[in-house]
Amino acid sequence: MKTTELRQKDVAGLKAEVKELQKAHFGLRMQKATQQLNNTSTLRSTRRSIARAKTILAETIVKQGAK
């Protein structure tokens, strides 16, 4: 998901997105452990997506606290 799409979401939407990404990352880790994962680069991309979503979530919370 692009940052512009993430920035349009509210805090609850961002938290749900982080939770969904973490669930997807867990599934990919399990696939890797059982040697069913063909494209290991998806692990890296989901990890970065989680970090991106958490960063935007923190920025949104700070912005709302400043208002």
Side-chain angles (χ1 to χ4, degrees):
M1 182 171 278
K2 294 189 175 189
T3 56
T4 54
E5 296 171 1
L6 287 173
R7 290 188 192 280
Q8 294 173 352
K9 292 188 174 193
D10 60 343
V11 174
L14 287 170
K15 286 182 180 180
E17 184 69 27
V18 168
K19 192 169 206 150
E20 180 181 323
L21 286 168
Q22 286 176 334
K23 185 181 258 188
H25 186 65
F26 179 77
L28 290 171
R29 284 190 352 237
M30 291 301 110
Q31 285 182 6
K32 184 181 179 207
T34 58
Q35 298 179 352
Q36 295 176 348
L37 185 62
N38 294 327
N39 189 1
T40 56
S41 67
T42 55
L43 285 169
R44 182 179 183 182
S45 65
T46 56
R47 210 172 45 241
R48 289 184 178 200
S49 295
I50 292 169
R52 187 176 300 115
K54 282 186 173 182
T55 301
I56 294 172
L57 175 63
E59 288 174 356
T60 305
I61 290 173
V62 167
K63 187 186 291 185
Q64 287 182 352
K67 287 185 179 181

